[in-house]
Amino acid sequence: MPASVRVPQRPLALSPPMLRSSENPAELPSAVDGRLETLWRTDDPQRPGDWVAVALPEPTAVSRVELVLGPHGRFAARELQVAMSEDGV
């Protein structure tokens, strides 16, 4: 697609109040602090049904989701799924 007709993209800054999780909410700020040496993780080994949710403050067009693992790749979900909702449900 020619650059002249592409919709401009910009990074979306996430903050701790936008995040919810199935467990270990105290460590959620580590997921968005911009430091690769910190991370959010579940209290125990990940199980099906563990989740992290982001609630954006307003409807936002999202064209890409990047999961940056840094040196913690061994903690990454093996069956990651991304779901989006216009109504928060």
Side-chain angles (χ1 to χ4, degrees):
M1 179 179 302
S4 61
V5 296
R6 277 187 235 154
V7 176
Q9 296 183 5
R10 63 178 174 77
L12 180 62
L14 301 180
S15 64
M18 296 175 171
L19 304 178
R20 301 287 179 267
S21 65
S22 58
E23 60 182 276
N24 202 7
E27 285 192 24
L28 279 171
S30 298
V32 294
D33 66 5
R35 298 170 40 209
L36 291 178
E37 63 273 7
T38 62
L39 71 152
W40 170 85
R41 61 182 169 190
T42 55
D43 292 321
D44 298 310
Q46 290 180 3
R47 301 174 302 276
D50 289 338
W51 54 268
V52 173
V54 177
L56 301 176
E58 60 190 33
T60 305
V62 176
S63 61
R64 182 171 74 200
V65 174
E66 291 184 14
L67 179 63
V68 180
L69 301 176
H72 306 290
R74 71 182 191 278
F75 295 121
R78 289 185 175 87
E79 296 181 26
L80 177 68
Q81 296 178 13
V82 176
M84 301 180 86
S85 167
E86 289 185 16
D87 62 4
V89 178

